Amino acid sequence: MSSSGPYIVKVASYKGGVGKTTLSVNLAVALQLMGAKTLLIDSDTISPSVGFHLGFEGSNIGYSQLLSSRGNIRDVTSVHAPSGLHVITGSIGSKHAVLTAAAEGRIMKMLKKSPYEFVVVDTRPEIDSVGSLKKTDETLVVATPDMPSASAAIKIAASLDRQRLRHSLVLNRVKNKKYEMSLHEVEDLYEGRVGAVIPEDEIVPISIEERIPAYILDRRGPFSSSIHRNAKFYYSGHGLTEDSGGYYGGTGIFARLKRLFLWRRG
Ligand SMILES: Nc1ncnc2c1ncn2[C@@H]1O[C@H](COP(=O)(O)OP(=O)(O)OP(=O)(O)O)[C@@H](O)[C@H]1O
Ligand SMILES: [Mg+2]
């Protein structure tokens, strides 16, 4: 564990529905079950959905209260009994869902002093998620292996590079079909290593239906095995892969987009 408090990871994408919440929930559950005290925060103030994976959808305390009040983290934290994971859920319909600079400073200070080893922050789909914490230790940029998603991911990468914030790419819903972009093609556009590849697995929609995280529901399946491998890397050294170490300092959005448009044209 770092002496300066927990390692804070934000999960982001410019496109909706690529698997941010699925990754956030299952990575956090896996870290907790490996023995690392972990806090999961749902910072999607418009359409929070962490609760659907965990069976918390009735919860009315959470992130919005943290933004609007002077309350501390403990007051708005729920415990997911099957895993012991601590969770700050989102609550729909709050009037106070805007993250001011002052609130962000206050929350970051509390998080850095908290007893957790890891904090995983789920966000809503935006290039710089308005309601979510900006200066996290790392951003996991989630994309699916197709052009629209990859192009959205490189926009986030360029934005994070400009802010000199560390990021890694997670490729989700990989089916290994011919029409998908290959790992190499995605890495070339992203100008960094793909930190994690997560397969398409029907246990994910089943787990949402059952309100039991996929990592618990089918611990040995392809999805959970991939989550486990990646959580283990984090657990053993704070970084998504042993050697990627995140990335910043790319050539910028235009060079990346140019390569995207030349993609497969030879
Ligand atoms: N690896 C996977 N295998 C199969 N289905 C998946 C996988 N990852 C995500 N899904 C499915 O994709 C859908 C969207 O996932 P999720 O809600 O995690 O995306 P999101 O990026 O958080 O969406 P939003 O931008 O709306 O917050 C869900 O219905 C989920 O079941
Ligand atoms: Mg989501």
Side-chain angles (χ1 to χ4, degrees):
M1 198 199 329
S2 144
S3 57
S4 58
Y7 190 74
I8 306 177
V9 185
K10 180 164 77 173
V11 180
S13 76
Y14 197 8
K15 277 219 177 296
V18 292
K20 294 179 294 300
T21 303
T22 302
L23 174 66
S24 303
V25 167
N26 287 284
L27 181 64
V29 165
L31 284 166
Q32 178 67 36
L33 290 175
M34 277 172 195
K37 224 171 156 8
T38 303
L39 172 69
L40 171 64
I41 302 177
D42 189 344
S43 75
D44 184 340
T45 48
I46 291 180
S47 184
S49 53
V50 158
F52 296 126
H53 290 250
L54 298 170
F56 277 168
E57 57 264 53
S59 170
N60 207 22
I61 50 164
Y63 189 64
S64 301
Q65 280 71 19
L66 200 61
L67 297 188
S68 63
S69 76
R70 303 221 141 256
N72 65 38
I73 288 171
R74 225 177 359 190
D75 298 335
V76 296
T77 299
S78 310
V79 179
H80 178 243
S83 63
L85 175 70
H86 284 198
V87 186
I88 299 180
T89 57
S91 32
I92 303 171
S94 167
K95 290 183 206 135
H96 307 283
V98 178
L99 181 69
T100 60
E104 175 163 21
R106 180 171 53 82
I107 293 169
M108 283 305 279
K109 213 163 148 187
M110 284 195 288
L111 285 177
K112 284 291 178 193
K113 279 200 224 148
S114 70
Y116 299 103
E117 284 172 77
F118 291 96
V119 176
V120 180
V121 185
D122 185 26
T123 67
R124 69 177 186 236
E126 271 172 352
I127 202 150
D128 270 321
S129 218
V130 176
S132 82
L133 307 168
K134 281 163 198 69
K135 297 239 156 66
T136 54
D137 296 308
E138 183 173 353
T139 300
L140 299 185
V141 179
V142 184
T144 48
D146 52 81
M147 281 253 266
S149 185
S151 73
I154 63 179
K155 283 179 194 151
I156 291 213
S159 167
L160 292 165
D161 285 342
R162 276 196 300 276
Q163 300 171 73
R164 301 207 54 79
L165 293 171
R166 180 183 161 129
H167 58 90
S168 315
L169 186 70
V170 175
L171 214 49
N172 185 33
R173 307 197 73 164
V174 172
K175 303 186 200 81
N176 288 316
K177 298 282 187 193
K178 247 191 152 145
Y179 54 78
E180 289 180 345
M181 292 182 80
S182 73
L183 205 62
H184 175 73
E185 286 164 335
V186 176
E187 285 182 335
D188 188 40
L189 290 172
Y190 190 71
E191 296 185 354
R193 284 175 55 90
V194 171
V197 174
I198 301 176
E200 173 82 12
D201 188 338
E202 71 168 4
I203 197 64
V204 174
I206 293 171
S207 74
I208 298 169
E209 172 71 21
E210 301 261 334
R211 309 292 198 251
I212 300 169
Y215 184 79
I216 294 179
L217 198 59
D218 179 22
R219 178 58 201 85
R220 306 266 159 233
F223 174 84
S224 300
S225 300
S226 166
I227 292 288
H228 186 77
R229 260 194 315 278
N230 291 297
K232 229 165 108 186
F233 281 129
Y234 265 121
Y235 190 53
S236 58
H238 293 173
L240 189 54
T241 59
E242 269 170 335
D243 54 355
S244 77
Y247 183 80
Y248 46 68
T251 56
I253 186 78
F254 292 113
R256 285 165 162 143
L257 283 175
K258 201 168 152 198
R259 281 204 304 284
L260 179 70
F261 290 120
L262 292 173
W263 179 61
R264 283 190 184 164
R265 290 206 186 132

